[in-house]
PDB file of all heavy atoms in Angstrom:
ATOM      1  N   ARG A   1     -21.280 -26.468  57.149  1.00 92.00           N
ATOM      2  CA  ARG A   1     -22.643 -27.002  57.089  1.00 92.00           C
ATOM      3  C   ARG A   1     -22.626 -28.272  56.264  1.00 92.00           C
ATOM      4  O   ARG A   1     -21.951 -28.345  55.240  1.00 92.00           O
ATOM      5  CB  ARG A   1     -23.610 -25.992  56.474  1.00 92.00           C
ATOM      6  CG  ARG A   1     -23.880 -24.797  57.367  1.00 92.00           C
ATOM      7  CD  ARG A   1     -25.106 -24.053  56.888  1.00 92.00           C
ATOM      8  NE  ARG A   1     -25.425 -22.913  57.740  1.00 92.00           N
ATOM      9  CZ  ARG A   1     -26.574 -22.262  57.720  1.00 92.00           C
ATOM     10  NH1 ARG A   1     -27.542 -22.658  56.871  1.00 92.00           N
ATOM     11  NH2 ARG A   1     -26.806 -21.248  58.505  1.00 92.00           N
ATOM     12  N   ALA A   2     -23.384 -29.253  56.715  1.00 92.00           N
ATOM     13  CA  ALA A   2     -23.453 -30.527  56.001  1.00 92.00           C
ATOM     14  C   ALA A   2     -24.773 -31.209  56.297  1.00 92.00           C
ATOM     15  O   ALA A   2     -25.375 -30.994  57.353  1.00 92.00           O
ATOM     16  CB  ALA A   2     -22.285 -31.429  56.415  1.00 92.00           C
ATOM     17  N   SER A   3     -25.239 -32.020  55.363  1.00 92.00           N
ATOM     18  CA  SER A   3     -26.430 -32.840  55.578  1.00 92.00           C
ATOM     19  C   SER A   3     -25.999 -34.167  56.182  1.00 92.00           C
ATOM     20  O   SER A   3     -25.092 -34.823  55.671  1.00 92.00           O
ATOM     21  CB  SER A   3     -27.174 -33.063  54.263  1.00 92.00           C
ATOM     22  OG  SER A   3     -27.704 -31.850  53.783  1.00 92.00           O
ATOM     23  N   VAL A   4     -26.679 -34.556  57.268  1.00 93.00           N
ATOM     24  CA  VAL A   4     -26.321 -35.764  58.002  1.00 93.00           C
ATOM     25  C   VAL A   4     -27.543 -36.669  58.091  1.00 93.00           C
ATOM     26  O   VAL A   4     -28.649 -36.198  58.399  1.00 93.00           O
ATOM     27  CB  VAL A   4     -25.823 -35.409  59.418  1.00 93.00           C
ATOM     28  CG1 VAL A   4     -25.548 -36.657  60.238  1.00 93.00           C
ATOM     29  CG2 VAL A   4     -24.560 -34.548  59.328  1.00 93.00           C
ATOM     30  N   PRO A   5     -27.393 -37.976  57.822  1.00 94.00           N
ATOM     31  CA  PRO A   5     -28.538 -38.883  57.897  1.00 94.00           C
ATOM     32  C   PRO A   5     -29.019 -39.105  59.326  1.00 94.00           C
ATOM     33  O   PRO A   5     -28.239 -39.021  60.280  1.00 94.00           O
ATOM     34  CB  PRO A   5     -28.008 -40.184  57.284  1.00 94.00           C
ATOM     35  CG  PRO A   5     -26.535 -40.111  57.456  1.00 94.00           C
ATOM     36  CD  PRO A   5     -26.174 -38.657  57.357  1.00 94.00           C
ATOM     37  N   LEU A   6     -30.299 -39.393  59.468  1.00 95.00           N
ATOM     38  CA  LEU A   6     -30.891 -39.737  60.755  1.00 95.00           C
ATOM     39  C   LEU A   6     -31.023 -41.257  60.853  1.00 95.00           C
ATOM     40  O   LEU A   6     -31.482 -41.902  59.911  1.00 95.00           O
ATOM     41  CB  LEU A   6     -32.269 -39.098  60.909  1.00 95.00           C
ATOM     42  CG  LEU A   6     -32.322 -37.570  60.886  1.00 95.00           C
ATOM     43  CD1 LEU A   6     -33.774 -37.094  60.930  1.00 95.00           C
ATOM     44  CD2 LEU A   6     -31.541 -36.976  62.055  1.00 95.00           C
ATOM     45  N   HIS A   7     -30.627 -41.820  62.001  1.00 95.00           N
ATOM     46  CA  HIS A   7     -30.802 -43.248  62.265  1.00 95.00           C
ATOM     47  C   HIS A   7     -31.849 -43.394  63.363  1.00 95.00           C
ATOM     48  O   HIS A   7     -31.652 -42.916  64.487  1.00 95.00           O
ATOM     49  CB  HIS A   7     -29.483 -43.884  62.703  1.00 95.00           C
ATOM     50  CG  HIS A   7     -28.515 -44.074  61.572  1.00 95.00           C
ATOM     51  ND1 HIS A   7     -27.347 -44.800  61.698  1.00 95.00           N
ATOM     52  CD2 HIS A   7     -28.556 -43.642  60.282  1.00 95.00           C
ATOM     53  CE1 HIS A   7     -26.704 -44.803  60.536  1.00 95.00           C
ATOM     54  NE2 HIS A   7     -27.405 -44.097  59.677  1.00 95.00           N
ATOM     55  N   PHE A   8     -32.952 -44.039  63.045  1.00 96.00           N
ATOM     56  CA  PHE A   8     -34.058 -44.182  63.993  1.00 96.00           C
ATOM     57  C   PHE A   8     -33.901 -45.497  64.762  1.00 96.00           C
ATOM     58  O   PHE A   8     -33.796 -46.574  64.165  1.00 96.00           O
ATOM     59  CB  PHE A   8     -35.392 -44.142  63.257  1.00 96.00           C
ATOM     60  CG  PHE A   8     -35.614 -42.846  62.519  1.00 96.00           C
ATOM     61  CD1 PHE A   8     -35.347 -42.750  61.158  1.00 96.00           C
ATOM     62  CD2 PHE A   8     -36.057 -41.717  63.186  1.00 96.00           C
ATOM     63  CE1 PHE A   8     -35.538 -41.552  60.470  1.00 96.00           C
ATOM     64  CE2 PHE A   8     -36.254 -40.525  62.520  1.00 96.00           C
ATOM     65  CZ  PHE A   8     -35.992 -40.440  61.159  1.00 96.00           C
ATOM     66  N   LEU A   9     -33.909 -45.375  66.101  1.00 95.00           N
ATOM     67  CA  LEU A   9     -33.677 -46.535  66.965  1.00 95.00           C
ATOM     68  C   LEU A   9     -34.941 -46.896  67.753  1.00 95.00           C
ATOM     69  O   LEU A   9     -35.746 -46.026  68.099  1.00 95.00           O
ATOM     70  CB  LEU A   9     -32.546 -46.235  67.951  1.00 95.00           C
ATOM     71  CG  LEU A   9     -31.212 -45.751  67.374  1.00 95.00           C
ATOM     72  CD1 LEU A   9     -30.232 -45.473  68.506  1.00 95.00           C
ATOM     73  CD2 LEU A   9     -30.639 -46.764  66.402  1.00 95.00           C
ATOM     74  N   ASN A  10     -35.090 -48.179  68.024  1.00 95.00           N
ATOM     75  CA  ASN A  10     -36.089 -48.715  68.963  1.00 95.00           C
ATOM     76  C   ASN A  10     -37.539 -48.453  68.573  1.00 95.00           C
ATOM     77  O   ASN A  10     -38.427 -48.493  69.429  1.00 95.00           O
ATOM     78  CB  ASN A  10     -35.835 -48.169  70.381  1.00 95.00           C
ATOM     79  CG  ASN A  10     -34.459 -48.523  70.892  1.00 95.00           C
ATOM     80  OD1 ASN A  10     -34.013 -49.655  70.735  1.00 95.00           O
ATOM     81  ND2 ASN A  10     -33.785 -47.558  71.495  1.00 95.00           N
ATOM     82  N   GLU A  11     -37.786 -48.199  67.296  1.00 94.00           N
ATOM     83  CA  GLU A  11     -39.167 -47.968  66.876  1.00 94.00           C
ATOM     84  C   GLU A  11     -40.041 -49.203  67.149  1.00 94.00           C
ATOM     85  O   GLU A  11     -41.183 -49.080  67.612  1.00 94.00           O
ATOM     86  CB  GLU A  11     -39.223 -47.614  65.400  1.00 94.00           C
ATOM     87  CG  GLU A  11     -40.631 -47.369  64.872  1.00 94.00           C
ATOM     88  CD  GLU A  11     -40.651 -46.974  63.410  1.00 94.00           C
ATOM     89  OE1 GLU A  11     -39.717 -46.254  62.970  1.00 94.00           O
ATOM     90  OE2 GLU A  11     -41.591 -47.378  62.704  1.00 94.00           O
ATOM     91  N   ASP A  12     -39.492 -50.396  66.869  1.00 91.00           N
ATOM     92  CA  ASP A  12     -40.281 -51.626  67.050  1.00 91.00           C
ATOM     93  C   ASP A  12     -40.545 -51.948  68.510  1.00 91.00           C
ATOM     94  O   ASP A  12     -41.444 -52.723  68.826  1.00 91.00           O
ATOM     95  CB  ASP A  12     -39.571 -52.804  66.383  1.00 91.00           C
ATOM     96  CG  ASP A  12     -38.154 -53.016  66.905  1.00 91.00           C
ATOM     97  OD1 ASP A  12     -37.568 -52.052  67.435  1.00 91.00           O
ATOM     98  OD2 ASP A  12     -37.632 -54.142  66.789  1.00 91.00           O
ATOM     99  N   LYS A  13     -39.775 -51.313  69.421  1.00 93.00           N
ATOM    100  CA  LYS A  13     -39.957 -51.556  70.856  1.00 93.00           C
ATOM    101  C   LYS A  13     -40.870 -50.513  71.506  1.00 93.00           C
ATOM    102  O   LYS A  13     -41.221 -50.642  72.675  1.00 93.00           O
ATOM    103  CB  LYS A  13     -38.599 -51.556  71.559  1.00 93.00           C
ATOM    104  CG  LYS A  13     -37.646 -52.635  71.051  1.00 93.00           C
ATOM    105  CD  LYS A  13     -36.301 -52.530  71.754  1.00 93.00           C
ATOM    106  CE  LYS A  13     -35.321 -53.567  71.225  1.00 93.00           C
ATOM    107  NZ  LYS A  13     -33.980 -53.447  71.851  1.00 93.00           N
ATOM    108  N   SER A  14     -41.220 -49.495  70.772  1.00 93.00           N
ATOM    109  CA  SER A  14     -42.023 -48.402  71.324  1.00 93.00           C
ATOM    110  C   SER A  14     -43.488 -48.783  71.385  1.00 93.00           C
ATOM    111  O   SER A  14     -43.938 -49.689  70.683  1.00 93.00           O
ATOM    112  CB  SER A  14     -41.857 -47.152  70.461  1.00 93.00           C
ATOM    113  OG  SER A  14     -42.470 -47.357  69.194  1.00 93.00           O
ATOM    114  N   PRO A  15     -44.293 -48.087  72.222  1.00 92.00           N
ATOM    115  CA  PRO A  15     -45.732 -48.331  72.256  1.00 92.00           C
ATOM    116  C   PRO A  15     -46.379 -48.181  70.875  1.00 92.00           C
ATOM    117  O   PRO A  15     -47.256 -48.958  70.500  1.00 92.00           O
ATOM    118  CB  PRO A  15     -46.246 -47.279  73.231  1.00 92.00           C
ATOM    119  CG  PRO A  15     -45.085 -47.005  74.138  1.00 92.00           C
ATOM    120  CD  PRO A  15     -43.877 -47.115  73.258  1.00 92.00           C
ATOM    121  N   ALA A  16     -45.928 -47.183  70.119  1.00 90.00           N
ATOM    122  CA  ALA A  16     -46.495 -46.970  68.780  1.00 90.00           C
ATOM    123  C   ALA A  16     -46.063 -48.088  67.836  1.00 90.00           C
ATOM    124  O   ALA A  16     -46.857 -48.586  67.037  1.00 90.00           O
ATOM    125  CB  ALA A  16     -46.049 -45.619  68.228  1.00 90.00           C
ATOM    126  N   GLY A  17     -44.812 -48.490  67.919  1.00 88.00           N
ATOM    127  CA  GLY A  17     -44.298 -49.524  67.032  1.00 88.00           C
ATOM    128  C   GLY A  17     -44.892 -50.889  67.291  1.00 88.00           C
ATOM    129  O   GLY A  17     -45.000 -51.714  66.378  1.00 88.00           O
ATOM    130  N   LYS A  18     -45.295 -51.146  68.547  1.00 88.00           N
ATOM    131  CA  LYS A  18     -45.864 -52.448  68.897  1.00 88.00           C
ATOM    132  C   LYS A  18     -47.322 -52.589  68.484  1.00 88.00           C
ATOM    133  O   LYS A  18     -47.845 -53.692  68.428  1.00 88.00           O
ATOM    134  CB  LYS A  18     -45.747 -52.665  70.409  1.00 88.00           C
ATOM    135  CG  LYS A  18     -44.320 -52.897  70.899  1.00 88.00           C
ATOM    136  CD  LYS A  18     -44.303 -53.085  72.406  1.00 88.00           C
ATOM    137  CE  LYS A  18     -42.897 -53.330  72.921  1.00 88.00           C
ATOM    138  NZ  LYS A  18     -42.869 -53.485  74.396  1.00 88.00           N
ATOM    139  N   SER A  19     -47.961 -51.464  68.223  1.00 86.00           N
ATOM    140  CA  SER A  19     -49.376 -51.493  67.873  1.00 86.00           C
ATOM    141  C   SER A  19     -49.571 -51.599  66.361  1.00 86.00           C
ATOM    142  O   SER A  19     -49.048 -50.787  65.594  1.00 86.00           O
ATOM    143  CB  SER A  19     -50.077 -50.226  68.386  1.00 86.00           C
ATOM    144  OG  SER A  19     -51.410 -50.186  67.948  1.00 86.00           O
ATOM    145  N   ALA A  20     -50.340 -52.588  65.951  1.00 84.00           N
ATOM    146  CA  ALA A  20     -50.611 -52.773  64.527  1.00 84.00           C
ATOM    147  C   ALA A  20     -51.536 -51.685  63.987  1.00 84.00           C
ATOM    148  O   ALA A  20     -51.655 -51.522  62.774  1.00 84.00           O
ATOM    149  CB  ALA A  20     -51.234 -54.145  64.292  1.00 84.00           C
ATOM    150  N   GLU A  21     -52.184 -50.956  64.891  1.00 86.00           N
ATOM    151  CA  GLU A  21     -53.151 -49.935  64.470  1.00 86.00           C
ATOM    152  C   GLU A  21     -52.526 -48.543  64.358  1.00 86.00           C
ATOM    153  O   GLU A  21     -53.220 -47.584  64.064  1.00 86.00           O
ATOM    154  CB  GLU A  21     -54.320 -49.896  65.449  1.00 86.00           C
ATOM    155  CG  GLU A  21     -55.102 -51.206  65.512  1.00 86.00           C
ATOM    156  CD  GLU A  21     -56.238 -51.139  66.504  1.00 86.00           C
ATOM    157  OE1 GLU A  21     -56.275 -50.181  67.297  1.00 86.00           O
ATOM    158  OE2 GLU A  21     -57.096 -52.037  66.481  1.00 86.00           O
ATOM    159  N   VAL A  22     -51.229 -48.449  64.613  1.00 88.00           N
ATOM    160  CA  VAL A  22     -50.554 -47.150  64.575  1.00 88.00           C
ATOM    161  C   VAL A  22     -49.609 -47.094  63.379  1.00 88.00           C
ATOM    162  O   VAL A  22     -48.853 -48.036  63.116  1.00 88.00           O
ATOM    163  CB  VAL A  22     -49.760 -46.904  65.880  1.00 88.00           C
ATOM    164  CG1 VAL A  22     -49.000 -45.579  65.791  1.00 88.00           C
ATOM    165  CG2 VAL A  22     -50.693 -46.901  67.074  1.00 88.00           C
ATOM    166  N   VAL A  23     -49.672 -45.986  62.654  1.00 92.00           N
ATOM    167  CA  VAL A  23     -48.787 -45.760  61.509  1.00 92.00           C
ATOM    168  C   VAL A  23     -47.714 -44.765  61.920  1.00 92.00           C
ATOM    169  O   VAL A  23     -48.029 -43.649  62.346  1.00 92.00           O
ATOM    170  CB  VAL A  23     -49.571 -45.215  60.299  1.00 92.00           C
ATOM    171  CG1 VAL A  23     -48.623 -44.905  59.138  1.00 92.00           C
ATOM    172  CG2 VAL A  23     -50.642 -46.199  59.866  1.00 92.00           C
ATOM    173  N   VAL A  24     -46.451 -45.172  61.813  1.00 93.00           N
ATOM    174  CA  VAL A  24     -45.323 -44.295  62.140  1.00 93.00           C
ATOM    175  C   VAL A  24     -44.668 -43.852  60.838  1.00 93.00           C
ATOM    176  O   VAL A  24     -44.238 -44.688  60.033  1.00 93.00           O
ATOM    177  CB  VAL A  24     -44.291 -45.014  63.027  1.00 93.00           C
ATOM    178  CG1 VAL A  24     -43.107 -44.089  63.316  1.00 93.00           C
ATOM    179  CG2 VAL A  24     -44.931 -45.480  64.328  1.00 93.00           C
ATOM    180  N   THR A  25     -44.604 -42.549  60.629  1.00 94.00           N
ATOM    181  CA  THR A  25     -44.000 -42.019  59.401  1.00 94.00           C
ATOM    182  C   THR A  25     -42.760 -41.197  59.740  1.00 94.00           C
ATOM    183  O   THR A  25     -42.758 -40.428  60.708  1.00 94.00           O
ATOM    184  CB  THR A  25     -44.989 -41.134  58.622  1.00 94.00           C
ATOM    185  OG1 THR A  25     -45.435 -40.056  59.455  1.00 94.00           O
ATOM    186  CG2 THR A  25     -46.187 -41.944  58.156  1.00 94.00           C
ATOM    187  N   HIS A  26     -41.726 -41.369  58.932  1.00 96.00           N
ATOM    188  CA  HIS A  26     -40.498 -40.582  59.057  1.00 96.00           C
ATOM    189  C   HIS A  26     -40.575 -39.442  58.048  1.00 96.00           C
ATOM    190  O   HIS A  26     -40.443 -39.663  56.841  1.00 96.00           O
ATOM    191  CB  HIS A  26     -39.272 -41.453  58.788  1.00 96.00           C
ATOM    192  CG  HIS A  26     -39.127 -42.601  59.730  1.00 96.00           C
ATOM    193  ND1 HIS A  26     -38.217 -43.624  59.551  1.00 96.00           N
ATOM    194  CD2 HIS A  26     -39.784 -42.905  60.879  1.00 96.00           C
ATOM    195  CE1 HIS A  26     -38.322 -44.502  60.526  1.00 96.00           C
ATOM    196  NE2 HIS A  26     -39.273 -44.084  61.351  1.00 96.00           N
ATOM    197  N   GLU A  27     -40.813 -38.252  58.529  1.00 96.00           N
ATOM    198  CA  GLU A  27     -40.970 -37.091  57.652  1.00 96.00           C
ATOM    199  C   GLU A  27     -39.632 -36.621  57.090  1.00 96.00           C
ATOM    200  O   GLU A  27     -39.570 -36.046  56.004  1.00 96.00           O
ATOM    201  CB  GLU A  27     -41.644 -35.938  58.400  1.00 96.00           C
ATOM    202  CG  GLU A  27     -43.021 -36.273  58.960  1.00 96.00           C
ATOM    203  CD  GLU A  27     -44.025 -36.551  57.864  1.00 96.00           C
ATOM    204  OE1 GLU A  27     -44.094 -35.743  56.914  1.00 96.00           O
ATOM    205  OE2 GLU A  27     -44.723 -37.579  57.932  1.00 96.00           O
ATOM    206  N   LEU A  28     -38.556 -36.841  57.837  1.00 95.00           N
ATOM    207  CA  LEU A  28     -37.210 -36.477  57.400  1.00 95.00           C
ATOM    208  C   LEU A  28     -36.289 -37.676  57.574  1.00 95.00           C
ATOM    209  O   LEU A  28     -36.428 -38.435  58.537  1.00 95.00           O
ATOM    210  CB  LEU A  28     -36.652 -35.302  58.225  1.00 95.00           C
ATOM    211  CG  LEU A  28     -37.372 -33.956  58.146  1.00 95.00           C
ATOM    212  CD1 LEU A  28     -36.696 -32.960  59.069  1.00 95.00           C
ATOM    213  CD2 LEU A  28     -37.385 -33.427  56.722  1.00 95.00           C
ATOM    214  N   ASN A  29     -35.360 -37.845  56.654  1.00 95.00           N
ATOM    215  CA  ASN A  29     -34.348 -38.887  56.774  1.00 95.00           C
ATOM    216  C   ASN A  29     -32.950 -38.320  56.946  1.00 95.00           C
ATOM    217  O   ASN A  29     -31.990 -39.059  57.186  1.00 95.00           O
ATOM    218  CB  ASN A  29     -34.376 -39.807  55.543  1.00 95.00           C
ATOM    219  CG  ASN A  29     -35.628 -40.660  55.509  1.00 95.00           C
ATOM    220  OD1 ASN A  29     -35.963 -41.306  56.495  1.00 95.00           O
ATOM    221  ND2 ASN A  29     -36.330 -40.643  54.388  1.00 95.00           N
ATOM    222  N   GLU A  30     -32.825 -36.987  56.834  1.00 95.00           N
ATOM    223  CA  GLU A  30     -31.554 -36.320  57.068  1.00 95.00           C
ATOM    224  C   GLU A  30     -31.823 -34.887  57.500  1.00 95.00           C
ATOM    225  O   GLU A  30     -32.920 -34.352  57.270  1.00 95.00           O
ATOM    226  CB  GLU A  30     -30.669 -36.341  55.817  1.00 95.00           C
ATOM    227  CG  GLU A  30     -31.237 -35.568  54.634  1.00 95.00           C
ATOM    228  CD  GLU A  30     -30.311 -35.581  53.428  1.00 95.00           C
ATOM    229  OE1 GLU A  30     -29.461 -36.482  53.331  1.00 95.00           O
ATOM    230  OE2 GLU A  30     -30.430 -34.658  52.594  1.00 95.00           O
ATOM    231  N   VAL A  31     -30.845 -34.274  58.136  1.00 95.00           N
ATOM    232  CA  VAL A  31     -30.963 -32.884  58.569  1.00 95.00           C
ATOM    233  C   VAL A  31     -29.675 -32.149  58.229  1.00 95.00           C
ATOM    234  O   VAL A  31     -28.603 -32.757  58.140  1.00 95.00           O
ATOM    235  CB  VAL A  31     -31.225 -32.771  60.085  1.00 95.00           C
ATOM    236  CG1 VAL A  31     -32.604 -33.281  60.433  1.00 95.00           C
ATOM    237  CG2 VAL A  31     -30.162 -33.503  60.892  1.00 95.00           C
TER     238      VAL A  31
END
């Protein structure tokens, strides 16, 4: 068992990422 970091891709290209009115939160940075 080990903790591994999460790498988030393409957030800025997503519908949510392109909208200034949407807040995207990363609840976890590793699993």
Side-chain angles (χ1 to χ4, degrees):
R1 290 196 179 195
S3 293
V4 176
L6 298 175
H7 285 189
F8 299 98
L9 306 179
N10 301 316
E11 179 178 325
D12 57 337
K13 299 177 182 178
S14 69
K18 290 179 179 179
S19 174
E21 298 179 347
V22 177
V23 177
V24 178
T25 58
H26 300 170
E27 301 295 312
L28 297 178
N29 290 309
E30 64 178 22
V31 291

